[in-house]
Amino acid sequence: MNDIAPHLRIVLVETTHAGNIGAVARAMKNMGLRNLWLVNPRSFPSEEAVARASGALDVLDSAIVVSTLDEALADCALVMGTSARGRKVPWPVMNPREAAPQVLAMAGQGQVALVFGRESNGLSNEELQRCHYHIHIPTNPDYSSLNLAMAVQVISYELRMLTLAQQDAEQAPLLSPDSSGWDVPPATVEQLEGFLQHLEQVLVEVGFHRQDNPRQLMTRLRRLFQRTRLDQMEVNILRGILTAVRGRK
Ligand code: SAH
């Protein structure tokens, strides 16, 4: 799996509380992110940030401080702005889970910026219009604004979940009798048909399947067994059970 961290930056615009910068560094490191850009922070470096970073000092120490948003975005191929509320000019907006595939796809090819606003009034309309897309965490509409570091946490968690899911899919493709690596060959059409006929006979014999009132029973059972992608051993086991049921009478 590709490590997206080198291609992804968290950009904080004019953060007022240094403690939030520390908490963001911690949230980022927890989720495997490293690149923190600070646009015109009120106070940085600061002891408060170090205290709240709780060991994520490498992220704080390597933070890049710039004076304009332009500088933080110049080399980026994709810019995602974040907003707690709708703005005057509607913009393509998605939730963090929807945004994650786009972010990960682009992070394989170029730099991606996730931009977060001021604690007091978020990002300006002009700043938001610099972003290709907006991400909104679907909070309670009557109380929609998260703490800055918590917003970073939620979005970077979604990125991590998708990264891990992709990693799992690469390492352990879902096994089924249809895929290579299964221990027994898949049942053929002929074998499944043989089983279904056998099943029908036994169901008639035990009085469960009444041919004068079939109720689509065999259609439903066919759908069930076709859906499960039986292998040859499983068909043999099922037929063995049917034979044993017959032998009891
Ligand atoms: N009062 C501000 C919110 C500031 S919260 C406003 O109304 O815009 C600080 C930052 O946290 C926001 O700029 C945004 O980057 C992020 N944030 C907070 N809540 C969010 C949410 N529900 N969805 C996306 N980002 C959010």
Side-chain angles (χ1 to χ4, degrees):
M1 182 206 54
N2 293 327
D3 179 12
I4 58 161
H7 307 284
L8 204 133
R9 70 186 63 166
I10 299 292
V11 179
L12 305 184
V13 177
E14 297 194 343
T15 309
T16 310
H17 301 291
N20 277 336
I21 298 177
V24 166
R26 180 181 187 175
M28 288 172 60
K29 189 165 182 185
N30 280 145
M31 297 298 123
L33 301 179
R34 294 193 286 276
N35 298 341
L36 177 59
W37 288 61
L38 304 172
V39 179
N40 205 14
R42 178 178 288 180
S43 145
F44 188 82
S46 90
E47 276 178 23
E48 180 73 16
V50 169
R52 293 284 302 280
S54 184
L57 294 181
D58 46 343
V59 176
L60 274 191
D61 289 344
S62 59
I64 297 176
V65 181
V66 292
S67 52
T68 63
L69 181 59
D70 281 342
E71 291 168 79
L73 303 184
D75 61 333
C76 290
L78 177 67
V79 180
M80 299 283 210
T82 57
S83 177
R85 58 200 159 95
R87 301 294 170 129
K88 268 189 216 126
V89 184
W91 217 253
V93 61
M94 39 191 129
N95 68 38
R97 199 160 295 173
E98 292 162 342
Q102 308 233 20
V103 170
L104 260 57
M106 188 54 88
Q109 315 190 39
Q111 287 287 321
V112 177
L114 300 177
V115 187
F116 294 82
R118 302 156 187 83
E119 294 94 331
S120 53
N121 53 358
L123 294 168
S124 69
N125 286 330
E126 201 192 337
E127 287 161 346
L128 280 166
Q129 286 165 20
R130 298 290 314 282
C131 305
H132 295 101
Y133 300 99
H134 295 165
I135 302 176
H136 172 69
I137 301 165
T139 37
N140 173 1
D142 298 328
Y143 192 69
S144 63
S145 168
L146 274 81
N147 164 270
L148 174 60
M150 296 193 186
V152 171
Q153 185 79 80
V154 168
I155 292 173
S156 49
Y157 170 75
E158 287 295 342
L159 296 175
R160 184 162 183 83
M161 287 302 283
L162 185 60
T163 306
L164 294 176
Q166 290 180 351
Q167 204 174 16
D168 282 354
E170 273 171 30
Q171 281 171 0
L174 206 64
L175 271 185
S176 83
D178 292 333
S179 54
S180 65
W182 196 256
D183 56 345
V184 178
T188 64
V189 168
E190 193 179 24
Q191 289 163 340
L192 188 73
E193 291 304 320
F195 160 66
L196 287 171
Q197 279 172 23
H198 195 168
L199 178 64
E200 183 168 11
Q201 286 160 12
V202 173
L203 292 178
V204 169
E205 284 169 25
V206 300
F208 187 81
H209 181 33
R210 294 188 24 222
Q211 275 156 331
D212 55 335
N213 182 18
R215 297 162 296 161
Q216 291 203 310
L217 177 67
M218 292 317 298
T219 307
R220 290 185 186 283
L221 288 173
R222 169 182 291 279
R223 189 173 66 179
L224 167 66
F225 286 110
Q226 286 182 343
R227 198 169 70 220
T228 58
R229 313 300 304 133
L230 295 171
D231 70 30
Q232 297 188 2
M233 174 105 62
E234 290 162 345
V235 168
N236 287 341
I237 292 169
L238 288 168
R239 293 198 69 160
I241 294 170
L242 294 175
T243 303
V245 168
R246 252 186 182 157
R248 279 171 49 93
K249 290 195 301 128

